[in-house]
Amino acid sequence: LMAIKFKPLLFKRIWFNRAWFVKQLKANLVALISLVTAVVGLSYNSWRDYQNEINDNMRNAAFVVLSDLGELQTIVNYAHFEADNARGNPIDGWKHVIMIRDLSRLLKPEAKKAGETLYMHWQSNWQSLDQDKQTELLISSQITSTRKAVLSTIDSLDSRVYSKHNNKRIMIRKT
């Protein structure tokens, strides 16, 4: 019975020798610091790439939404003020409204909400666009609100953005 109690103490002495451990730590300190530095650097680089991808996706979606907002405003203007069914066909407005609603989901919550509100206003009012002044004002006002929300999203993106240029990454700072 005493031999069994003595073995764990012997096991601890054999497998963990403090002097040997300190000696190895001193001998390999530079390698350990290099390993920690490499892991931290890789982690930061991965996180930064992920942030850049989010910013890039949001920026691209925002520019497409702004383009569709401009085209939708043109359709609204031609439909209401010119009664031009070729350039102001409200049916053509649907593709822009749907694209705005769908892509605004990639943006900040304010832009998402504005895109959904624009879709709801368009859905309930598009048929009277060429006849009713209030409908034109409501939809144009919502287009403006959505544009402001999208521009706010662009302005809120991280100021440190990386751009691909000649297969190299360069840092561009917004001023």
Side-chain angles (χ1 to χ4, degrees), residues 84-108:
D84 184 350
N85 285 336
R87 292 183 281 185
N89 188 349
I91 299 296
D92 288 339
W94 273 108
K95 68 180 178 185
H96 300 294
V97 171
I98 290 171
M99 181 70 87
I100 291 164
R101 181 197 62 186
D102 292 347
L103 287 179
S104 67
R105 293 175 186 217
L106 298 174
L107 305 177
K108 300 285 182 184

mmCIF file of all heavy atoms in Angstrom, residues 84-108:
data_model
loop_
_atom_site.group_PDB
_atom_site.id
_atom_site.type_symbol
_atom_site.label_atom_id
_atom_site.label_comp_id
_atom_site.label_asym_id
_atom_site.label_seq_id
_atom_site.Cartn_x
_atom_site.Cartn_y
_atom_site.Cartn_z
ATOM 1 N N ASP A 84 -45.255 59.770 -69.888
ATOM 2 C CA ASP A 84 -44.540 59.024 -70.933
ATOM 3 C C ASP A 84 -44.477 57.555 -70.517
ATOM 4 O O ASP A 84 -43.740 57.183 -69.612
ATOM 5 C CB ASP A 84 -43.124 59.602 -71.080
ATOM 6 C CG ASP A 84 -42.344 58.958 -72.200
ATOM 7 O OD1 ASP A 84 -42.797 57.936 -72.749
ATOM 8 O OD2 ASP A 84 -41.259 59.479 -72.518
ATOM 9 N N ASN A 85 -45.273 56.730 -71.193
ATOM 10 C CA ASN A 85 -45.304 55.313 -70.845
ATOM 11 C C ASN A 85 -44.059 54.556 -71.278
ATOM 12 O O ASN A 85 -43.781 53.483 -70.749
ATOM 13 C CB ASN A 85 -46.541 54.637 -71.437
ATOM 14 C CG ASN A 85 -47.794 54.997 -70.658
ATOM 15 O OD1 ASN A 85 -47.715 55.350 -69.485
ATOM 16 N ND2 ASN A 85 -48.942 54.929 -71.314
ATOM 17 N N ALA A 86 -43.316 55.089 -72.207
ATOM 18 C CA ALA A 86 -42.101 54.392 -72.644
ATOM 19 C C ALA A 86 -40.985 54.547 -71.602
ATOM 20 O O ALA A 86 -40.364 53.573 -71.192
ATOM 21 C CB ALA A 86 -41.643 54.929 -73.999
ATOM 22 N N ARG A 87 -40.719 55.770 -71.197
ATOM 23 C CA ARG A 87 -39.636 56.011 -70.220
ATOM 24 C C ARG A 87 -40.127 56.047 -68.789
ATOM 25 O O ARG A 87 -39.331 55.939 -67.864
ATOM 26 C CB ARG A 87 -38.909 57.310 -70.557
ATOM 27 C CG ARG A 87 -38.127 57.211 -71.867
ATOM 28 C CD ARG A 87 -37.370 58.457 -72.124
ATOM 29 N NE ARG A 87 -38.293 59.471 -72.658
ATOM 30 C CZ ARG A 87 -37.943 60.656 -73.081
ATOM 31 N NH1 ARG A 87 -36.683 61.025 -73.031
ATOM 32 N NH2 ARG A 87 -38.825 61.501 -73.546
ATOM 33 N N GLY A 88 -41.421 56.179 -68.594
ATOM 34 C CA GLY A 88 -41.973 56.268 -67.250
ATOM 35 C C GLY A 88 -42.952 55.158 -66.944
ATOM 36 O O GLY A 88 -43.938 55.374 -66.252
ATOM 37 N N ASN A 89 -42.674 53.980 -67.445
ATOM 38 C CA ASN A 89 -43.560 52.848 -67.219
ATOM 39 C C ASN A 89 -43.388 52.324 -65.787
ATOM 40 O O ASN A 89 -42.319 51.826 -65.439
ATOM 41 C CB ASN A 89 -43.247 51.744 -68.227
ATOM 42 C CG ASN A 89 -44.250 50.616 -68.180
ATOM 43 O OD1 ASN A 89 -45.066 50.537 -67.271
ATOM 44 N ND2 ASN A 89 -44.179 49.746 -69.164
ATOM 45 N N PRO A 90 -44.418 52.433 -64.964
ATOM 46 C CA PRO A 90 -44.289 51.963 -63.576
ATOM 47 C C PRO A 90 -43.966 50.469 -63.465
ATOM 48 O O PRO A 90 -43.384 50.039 -62.477
ATOM 49 C CB PRO A 90 -45.660 52.263 -62.967
ATOM 50 C CG PRO A 90 -46.219 53.363 -63.798
ATOM 51 C CD PRO A 90 -45.703 53.100 -65.187
ATOM 52 N N ILE A 91 -44.319 49.691 -64.460
ATOM 53 C CA ILE A 91 -43.966 48.264 -64.431
ATOM 54 C C ILE A 91 -42.443 48.114 -64.446
ATOM 55 O O ILE A 91 -41.892 47.249 -63.755
ATOM 56 C CB ILE A 91 -44.594 47.531 -65.640
ATOM 57 C CG1 ILE A 91 -46.129 47.620 -65.609
ATOM 58 C CG2 ILE A 91 -44.139 46.077 -65.683
ATOM 59 C CD1 ILE A 91 -46.771 46.925 -64.435
ATOM 60 N N ASP A 92 -41.754 48.962 -65.205
ATOM 61 C CA ASP A 92 -40.286 48.934 -65.207
ATOM 62 C C ASP A 92 -39.716 49.339 -63.847
ATOM 63 O O ASP A 92 -38.604 48.955 -63.486
ATOM 64 C CB ASP A 92 -39.723 49.870 -66.281
ATOM 65 C CG ASP A 92 -39.933 49.333 -67.685
ATOM 66 O OD1 ASP A 92 -40.131 48.114 -67.827
ATOM 67 O OD2 ASP A 92 -39.896 50.149 -68.628
ATOM 68 N N GLY A 93 -40.468 50.129 -63.093
ATOM 69 C CA GLY A 93 -40.020 50.535 -61.770
ATOM 70 C C GLY A 93 -39.926 49.368 -60.792
ATOM 71 O O GLY A 93 -39.138 49.406 -59.847
ATOM 72 N N TRP A 94 -40.714 48.334 -61.037
ATOM 73 C CA TRP A 94 -40.698 47.186 -60.139
ATOM 74 C C TRP A 94 -39.320 46.545 -60.033
ATOM 75 O O TRP A 94 -38.889 46.163 -58.947
ATOM 76 C CB TRP A 94 -41.717 46.126 -60.581
ATOM 77 C CG TRP A 94 -43.070 46.382 -60.019
ATOM 78 C CD1 TRP A 94 -44.172 46.819 -60.701
ATOM 79 C CD2 TRP A 94 -43.484 46.228 -58.659
ATOM 80 N NE1 TRP A 94 -45.230 46.959 -59.851
ATOM 81 C CE2 TRP A 94 -44.837 46.594 -58.576
ATOM 82 C CE3 TRP A 94 -42.843 45.838 -57.496
ATOM 83 C CZ2 TRP A 94 -45.560 46.566 -57.395
ATOM 84 C CZ3 TRP A 94 -43.559 45.795 -56.312
ATOM 85 C CH2 TRP A 94 -44.894 46.162 -56.270
ATOM 86 N N LYS A 95 -38.624 46.409 -61.155
ATOM 87 C CA LYS A 95 -37.302 45.762 -61.088
ATOM 88 C C LYS A 95 -36.336 46.575 -60.227
ATOM 89 O O LYS A 95 -35.525 46.016 -59.494
ATOM 90 C CB LYS A 95 -36.730 45.507 -62.474
ATOM 91 C CG LYS A 95 -36.341 46.737 -63.247
ATOM 92 C CD LYS A 95 -35.782 46.382 -64.614
ATOM 93 C CE LYS A 95 -35.454 47.642 -65.371
ATOM 94 N NZ LYS A 95 -35.029 47.360 -66.727
ATOM 95 N N HIS A 96 -36.455 47.889 -60.287
ATOM 96 C CA HIS A 96 -35.589 48.741 -59.466
ATOM 97 C C HIS A 96 -35.986 48.682 -57.991
ATOM 98 O O HIS A 96 -35.118 48.595 -57.112
ATOM 99 C CB HIS A 96 -35.625 50.181 -59.974
ATOM 100 C CG HIS A 96 -35.157 50.316 -61.385
ATOM 101 N ND1 HIS A 96 -33.863 50.069 -61.775
ATOM 102 C CD2 HIS A 96 -35.835 50.663 -62.518
ATOM 103 C CE1 HIS A 96 -33.747 50.265 -63.076
ATOM 104 N NE2 HIS A 96 -34.930 50.616 -63.548
ATOM 105 N N VAL A 97 -37.284 48.716 -57.731
ATOM 106 C CA VAL A 97 -37.757 48.678 -56.349
ATOM 107 C C VAL A 97 -37.371 47.358 -55.682
ATOM 108 O O VAL A 97 -36.922 47.336 -54.528
ATOM 109 C CB VAL A 97 -39.290 48.892 -56.298
ATOM 110 C CG1 VAL A 97 -39.837 48.630 -54.912
ATOM 111 C CG2 VAL A 97 -39.638 50.296 -56.738
ATOM 112 N N ILE A 98 -37.522 46.265 -56.411
ATOM 113 C CA ILE A 98 -37.170 44.955 -55.848
ATOM 114 C C ILE A 98 -35.667 44.864 -55.617
ATOM 115 O O ILE A 98 -35.217 44.362 -54.579
ATOM 116 C CB ILE A 98 -37.688 43.831 -56.763
ATOM 117 C CG1 ILE A 98 -39.225 43.786 -56.694
ATOM 118 C CG2 ILE A 98 -37.087 42.485 -56.370
ATOM 119 C CD1 ILE A 98 -39.867 42.880 -57.709
ATOM 120 N N MET A 99 -34.877 45.357 -56.556
ATOM 121 C CA MET A 99 -33.419 45.328 -56.391
ATOM 122 C C MET A 99 -32.994 46.192 -55.198
ATOM 123 O O MET A 99 -32.132 45.795 -54.414
ATOM 124 C CB MET A 99 -32.729 45.825 -57.662
ATOM 125 C CG MET A 99 -31.224 45.791 -57.580
ATOM 126 S SD MET A 99 -30.556 44.144 -57.590
ATOM 127 C CE MET A 99 -30.424 43.882 -59.329
ATOM 128 N N ILE A 100 -33.624 47.350 -55.049
ATOM 129 C CA ILE A 100 -33.315 48.239 -53.926
ATOM 130 C C ILE A 100 -33.656 47.544 -52.606
ATOM 131 O O ILE A 100 -32.857 47.536 -51.666
ATOM 132 C CB ILE A 100 -34.080 49.574 -54.061
ATOM 133 C CG1 ILE A 100 -33.516 50.378 -55.237
ATOM 134 C CG2 ILE A 100 -34.014 50.375 -52.767
ATOM 135 C CD1 ILE A 100 -34.414 51.509 -55.691
ATOM 136 N N ARG A 101 -34.833 46.953 -52.546
ATOM 137 C CA ARG A 101 -35.236 46.261 -51.317
ATOM 138 C C ARG A 101 -34.273 45.111 -50.989
ATOM 139 O O ARG A 101 -33.848 44.948 -49.849
ATOM 140 C CB ARG A 101 -36.654 45.717 -51.458
ATOM 141 C CG ARG A 101 -37.125 45.001 -50.194
ATOM 142 C CD ARG A 101 -38.306 44.128 -50.427
ATOM 143 N NE ARG A 101 -37.953 43.082 -51.387
ATOM 144 C CZ ARG A 101 -38.805 42.215 -51.886
ATOM 145 N NH1 ARG A 101 -40.066 42.270 -51.541
ATOM 146 N NH2 ARG A 101 -38.425 41.306 -52.740
ATOM 147 N N ASP A 102 -33.930 44.321 -51.990
ATOM 148 C CA ASP A 102 -33.076 43.156 -51.747
ATOM 149 C C ASP A 102 -31.649 43.540 -51.359
ATOM 150 O O ASP A 102 -31.081 42.989 -50.422
ATOM 151 C CB ASP A 102 -33.057 42.246 -52.970
ATOM 152 C CG ASP A 102 -34.402 41.576 -53.218
ATOM 153 O OD1 ASP A 102 -35.261 41.617 -52.308
ATOM 154 O OD2 ASP A 102 -34.594 41.014 -54.307
ATOM 155 N N LEU A 103 -31.065 44.493 -52.077
ATOM 156 C CA LEU A 103 -29.683 44.879 -51.778
ATOM 157 C C LEU A 103 -29.561 45.727 -50.514
ATOM 158 O O LEU A 103 -28.505 45.730 -49.881
ATOM 159 C CB LEU A 103 -29.059 45.617 -52.962
ATOM 160 C CG LEU A 103 -28.703 44.742 -54.159
ATOM 161 C CD1 LEU A 103 -28.118 45.585 -55.281
ATOM 162 C CD2 LEU A 103 -27.750 43.638 -53.772
ATOM 163 N N SER A 104 -30.622 46.425 -50.156
ATOM 164 C CA SER A 104 -30.541 47.235 -48.940
ATOM 165 C C SER A 104 -30.442 46.359 -47.693
ATOM 166 O O SER A 104 -30.046 46.830 -46.627
ATOM 167 C CB SER A 104 -31.734 48.188 -48.838
ATOM 168 O OG SER A 104 -32.940 47.470 -48.654
ATOM 169 N N ARG A 105 -30.733 45.083 -47.817
ATOM 170 C CA ARG A 105 -30.562 44.157 -46.686
ATOM 171 C C ARG A 105 -29.095 43.960 -46.339
ATOM 172 O O ARG A 105 -28.774 43.535 -45.243
ATOM 173 C CB ARG A 105 -31.190 42.811 -47.003
ATOM 174 C CG ARG A 105 -32.680 42.876 -47.122
ATOM 175 C CD ARG A 105 -33.261 41.564 -47.553
ATOM 176 N NE ARG A 105 -34.674 41.728 -47.788
ATOM 177 C CZ ARG A 105 -35.572 40.815 -47.502
ATOM 178 N NH1 ARG A 105 -35.206 39.674 -46.989
ATOM 179 N NH2 ARG A 105 -36.829 41.043 -47.738
ATOM 180 N N LEU A 106 -28.206 44.245 -47.275
ATOM 181 C CA LEU A 106 -26.775 44.119 -47.027
ATOM 182 C C LEU A 106 -26.200 45.349 -46.338
ATOM 183 O O LEU A 106 -25.045 45.345 -45.944
ATOM 184 C CB LEU A 106 -26.021 43.893 -48.346
ATOM 185 C CG LEU A 106 -26.365 42.621 -49.109
ATOM 186 C CD1 LEU A 106 -25.659 42.619 -50.455
ATOM 187 C CD2 LEU A 106 -26.014 41.391 -48.300
ATOM 188 N N LEU A 107 -27.003 46.389 -46.220
ATOM 189 C CA LEU A 107 -26.523 47.657 -45.682
ATOM 190 C C LEU A 107 -26.905 47.790 -44.210
ATOM 191 O O LEU A 107 -27.373 46.851 -43.589
ATOM 192 C CB LEU A 107 -27.104 48.799 -46.515
ATOM 193 C CG LEU A 107 -26.838 48.706 -48.024
ATOM 194 C CD1 LEU A 107 -27.525 49.846 -48.753
ATOM 195 C CD2 LEU A 107 -25.368 48.686 -48.314
ATOM 196 N N LYS A 108 -26.688 48.958 -43.664
ATOM 197 C CA LYS A 108 -27.011 49.233 -42.265
ATOM 198 C C LYS A 108 -28.529 49.131 -42.040
ATOM 199 O O LYS A 108 -29.309 49.250 -42.985
ATOM 200 C CB LYS A 108 -26.529 50.630 -41.873
ATOM 201 C CG LYS A 108 -25.044 50.828 -42.011
ATOM 202 C CD LYS A 108 -24.312 50.144 -40.910
ATOM 203 C CE LYS A 108 -22.816 50.402 -41.061
ATOM 204 N NZ LYS A 108 -22.040 49.708 -40.092
#
